[in-house]
């Protein structure tokens, strides 16, 4: 028992003695310097010399170091002396009392070694479980990341997707909460990665031919004589540099390894379909809330999707429609800000997406279901948020060729409720 105590607290005693020695040395030095400074000031009424000022400064610094050392001594001692059983939710003495409240004195003397062995076994079990969960998360995340990199035309693409499906199904069949959490962590990471890659891929398509507005420095240059010519040259150079940097950045990150010959529009279509697949998996394994939060923050992706190809728009519309239906679930707690951002960001895509006969995105039943979900969420929102959402919808709805989504009833209801507020 003594050797166990020595092994547990030997390091603490050694560290504490060293800190005490340093503390006492600095305290004695500061005390002597204080006495010498006060005595020299009492004996000599003339102005202090440079050495006196230096001695006084050293004394002040010494006292300051004392306070700092005292703080670290207390902090270091608390962290070292605290028992390992504290991190498992209780002390060994409490567990000994609970194991045998009516034991004899001889049994009580033997219990400390049994308790320490039990604590060691439990601690090792926790460490092993944590390492196993981390290994599973890393393995599934790696498989899902490879899915983003492998071209869809490769024969190993379906093999990789089937492997990811098999791992997630096996984790779900296992039934343990920690193993189920593996699927959620890996899918959430994959959702973040895939949406970021899709955003950068769409950015590559639009940036070379995009419309770069005049910034403040270009407007300032135009104000000077012959500034228009200089500003036009600078704008052309800026467009060229932005396009070059964008292509280079994407070439080094997005189209690495096997994706050198993949066109950006094909890659964007592949990533959008994978993002839809990940979203469905998140709902299957009970973490659709993570997808809702991330999709409500994807403002850049929402704006770029307005000018994307019809197939990319089809996948993003399906993701948005899928998540909009989740907003009305009673068993799911969704923050009001998340609902508001989702409606504001992705309603314009519903209005402007290509819903042609060549590539139908949603059925009439699905469109009606989503309209009802949007109407329900809007009606339960505050009046100011309703105004902002419905204004955004109307601005996009009146200039689009699509008749969906038609939120006219929600707009009329908001107008009527606003009139009643004015009347009261």
């Amino acid at each position: 028992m003594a050797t166990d105590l020595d092994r547990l607290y030997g390091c603490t005693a050694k560290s504490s003695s060293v800190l005490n020695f340093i503390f006492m040395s600095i305290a004695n030095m500061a005390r002597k310097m204080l006495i010498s400074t006060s005595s020299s000031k009492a004996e000599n009424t003339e102005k202090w010399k440079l050495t006196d000022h230096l001695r006084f400064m050293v004394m002040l610094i010494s006292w300051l170091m004392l306070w700092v050392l005292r703080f670290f001594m207390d902090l270091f001692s608390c962290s070292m002396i605290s028992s390992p059983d504290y991190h498992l939710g209780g002390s060994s003495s409490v567990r000994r009392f609970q194991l045998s409240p009516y034991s004899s004195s001889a049994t009580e003397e033997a219990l400390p070694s049994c308790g320490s062995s039990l604590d060691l076994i439990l601690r090792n079990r926790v460490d092993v479980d944590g390492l196993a969960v981390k290994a599973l998360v890393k393995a599934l995340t790696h498989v899902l990341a490879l899915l983003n990199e492998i071209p869809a035309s490769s024969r190993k693409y379906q093999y990789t997707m089937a492997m990811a499906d098999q791992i997630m199904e096996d984790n779900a069949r296992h039934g343990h909460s920690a193993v189920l959490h593996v699927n959620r962590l890996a899918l959430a990471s994959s959702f973040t990665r895939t949406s970021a890659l899709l955003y950068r891929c769409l950015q590559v398509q639009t940036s070379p031919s995009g419309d770069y507005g005049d910034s403040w420095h270009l407007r300032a240059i135009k104000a000077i004589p012959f500034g228009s010519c200089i500003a036009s040259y600078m704008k052309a150079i800026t467009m060229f540099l932005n396009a070059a940097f964008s292509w280079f950045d994407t070439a080094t990150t997005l189209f690495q390894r096997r994706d050198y010959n993949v066109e950006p529009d094909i890659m964007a279509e592949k990533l959008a379909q994978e993002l839809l697949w990940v979203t469905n998996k998140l709902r299957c394994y009970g973490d659709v809330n993570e997808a809702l939060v991330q999709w409500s923050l994807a403002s850049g992706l929402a704006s770029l999707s307005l000018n994307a190809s019809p197939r990319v728009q089809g996948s993003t519309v399906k993701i948005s429609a899928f998540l909009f239906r989740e907003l009305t679930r009673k068993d799911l707690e969704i923050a009001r800000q998340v609902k508001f951002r989702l409606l504001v960001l992705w309603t314009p895509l519903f209005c402007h997406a290509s819903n042609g006969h060549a590539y139908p995105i949603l059925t009439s039943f699905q469109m009606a279901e989503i309209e009802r979900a949007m109407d329900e969420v809007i009606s339960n929102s505050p009046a100011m948020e309703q105004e902002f959402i419905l204004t955004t919808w109307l601005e996009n709805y009146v200039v689009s060729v699509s008749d969906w989504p038609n939120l006219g009833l929600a707009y009329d209801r908001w107008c009527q409720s606003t009139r009643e507020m004015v009347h009261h």
Side-chain angles (χ1 to χ4, degrees), residues 292 323-330 334-344 347 369-383 385-387 389-390 407 410 413:
L292 287 167
L323 295 176
F324 275 31
R325 286 197 296 267
E326 298 296 313
L327 295 178
T328 57
R329 283 177 54 183
K330 305 300 182 184
I334 306 170
R336 182 170 54 84
Q337 295 81 2
V338 173
K339 297 180 180 180
F340 172 72
R341 290 195 301 261
L342 276 172
L343 289 171
V344 171
T347 300
E369 187 181 8
I370 294 164
E371 276 188 4
R372 286 194 298 268
M374 294 174 69
D375 185 82
E376 181 179 345
V377 174
I378 292 172
S379 63
N380 294 326
S381 301
E385 293 184 1
Q386 289 187 36
E387 178 187 1
I389 294 168
L390 291 170
L407 301 177
R413 186 173 57 249

Side-chain angles (χ1 to χ4, degrees), residues 206-219 221-222 229-247:
T206 57
S207 59
S209 58
D211 183 18
Y212 295 92
D214 293 339
S215 57
W216 65 269
H217 62 277
L218 290 179
R219 291 195 296 269
I221 292 173
K222 285 183 178 180
C229 298
I230 301 174
S232 61
Y233 283 116
M234 291 186 64
K235 187 175 181 179
I237 293 172
T238 304
M239 291 175 62
F240 173 77
L241 291 176
N242 286 337
F245 283 130
S246 181
W247 276 104

Side-chain angles (χ1 to χ4, degrees), residues 109-343:
E109 291 178 358
L111 274 175
S113 60
C114 299
S116 61
S117 301
L118 180 61
D119 295 338
L120 183 61
I121 293 173
L122 291 175
R123 200 180 312 120
N124 290 337
R125 178 62 182 272
V126 170
D127 294 340
V128 170
D129 291 345
L131 291 175
V133 169
K134 288 181 180 179
L136 285 173
V137 172
K138 288 172 64 177
L140 184 55
T141 304
H142 184 227
V143 174
L144 294 173
L146 289 175
L147 199 64
N148 294 140
E149 298 176 1
I150 301 174
S153 58
S154 174
R155 62 185 180 88
K156 296 296 181 66
Y157 182 76
Q158 294 298 329
Y159 173 80
T160 308
M161 182 174 286
M163 178 182 289
D165 266 329
Q166 185 66 37
I167 294 174
M168 289 186 285
E169 289 175 3
D170 292 343
N171 292 340
R173 278 197 296 268
H174 190 273
H176 195 277
S177 59
V179 180
L180 288 174
H181 196 54
V182 169
N183 292 349
R184 299 171 189 146
L185 289 176
L187 287 170
S189 176
S190 179
F191 191 95
T192 304
R193 172 186 169 86
T194 308
S195 58
L197 290 174
L198 178 59
Y199 168 74
R200 298 178 68 175
C201 192
L202 294 176
Q203 197 176 30
V204 168
Q205 297 181 30
T206 57
S207 59
S209 58
D211 183 18
Y212 295 92
D214 293 339
S215 57
W216 65 269
H217 62 277
L218 290 179
R219 291 195 296 269
I221 292 173
K222 285 183 178 180
I224 64 175
F226 303 102
S228 299
C229 298
I230 301 174
S232 61
Y233 283 116
M234 291 186 64
K235 187 175 181 179
I237 293 172
T238 304
M239 291 175 62
F240 173 77
L241 291 176
N242 286 337
F245 283 130
S246 181
W247 276 104
F248 177 76
D249 186 40
T250 307
T252 54
T253 56
L254 181 61
F255 306 121
Q256 55 184 344
R257 297 184 189 174
R258 309 172 183 86
D259 292 337
Y260 289 112
N261 299 321
V262 179
E263 294 294 332
D265 54 347
I266 299 176
M267 190 66 183
E269 180 184 343
K270 169 183 174 291
L271 291 171
Q273 292 176 357
E274 290 172 357
L275 192 60
L276 177 61
W277 178 77
V278 171
T279 306
N280 288 322
K281 292 297 179 182
L282 276 171
R283 190 194 185 284
C284 291
Y285 296 112
D287 199 22
V288 73
N289 212 346
E290 179 67 25
L292 287 167
V293 173
Q294 293 194 34
W295 203 242
S296 69
L297 298 173
S299 57
L301 183 59
S303 61
L304 290 176
S305 298
L306 295 174
N307 299 318
S309 64
R311 292 186 178 273
V312 174
Q313 282 186 348
S315 297
T316 52
V317 166
K318 287 180 180 179
I319 294 171
S320 302
F322 177 81
L323 295 176
F324 275 31
R325 286 197 296 267
E326 298 296 313
L327 295 178
T328 57
R329 283 177 54 183
K330 305 300 182 184
D331 59 335
L332 193 64
E333 295 183 2
I334 306 170
R336 182 170 54 84
Q337 295 81 2
V338 173
K339 297 180 180 180
F340 172 72
R341 290 195 301 261
L342 276 172
L343 289 171

Side-chain angles (χ1 to χ4, degrees), residues 43-58:
E43 294 173 359
N44 191 6
T45 58
E46 298 178 357
K47 293 183 178 181
W48 279 9
K49 299 180 182 179
L50 180 61
T51 55
D52 296 329
H53 285 286
L54 291 176
R55 190 184 299 114
F56 188 73
M57 292 285 293
V58 172

